[in-house]
Amino acid sequence: MLGFLIAAAAGFLTPQIESALAKPIMSALEKHIPVTPNETRAIAFMVALLGAAILVALVDSGSVFGVIVGAILGYFGLRIFNVIKGVIEGRSDG
């Protein structure tokens, strides 16, 4: 369960680490391989997942499946919440 929570936090923090970590990594990568600006978020997500994986391994908690589901739910959590909220509000109006 702790691994799931760590990964969910990593997914949620992906947009915040985009400029701090992903852009410097992209600058270093551009010297060796072509990287497009629209890949910044993907690189930030990979960095966040790498950090989550290291933390999960250090605390020895969670499975790979839990980490993956946690990261996905953390990344898309606000969007999923807003969709569910919209569905509930739509039903209460009718």
Side-chain angles (χ1 to χ4, degrees):
M1 182 68 177
L2 183 59
F4 173 83
L5 295 174
I6 290 170
F12 182 76
L13 293 175
T14 296
Q16 288 78 19
I17 67 169
E18 191 171 338
S19 62
L21 295 175
K23 289 189 180 182
I25 291 172
M26 285 181 64
S27 296
L29 287 175
E30 287 176 335
K31 297 173 186 172
H32 307 286
I33 59 173
V35 182
T36 61
N38 61 353
E39 294 174 319
T40 307
R41 183 66 56 99
I43 291 173
F45 189 64
M46 288 185 275
V47 170
L49 279 181
L50 179 61
I54 291 170
L55 283 175
V56 169
L58 288 175
V59 298
D60 195 27
S61 173
S63 67
V64 174
F65 182 75
V67 170
I68 292 169
V69 171
I72 291 170
L73 289 177
Y75 186 81
F76 293 108
L78 290 176
R79 295 179 210 177
I80 294 169
F81 176 77
N82 288 334
V83 167
I84 293 170
K85 183 180 171 185
V87 169
I88 292 171
E89 289 174 353
R91 287 185 183 168
S92 66
D93 291 340

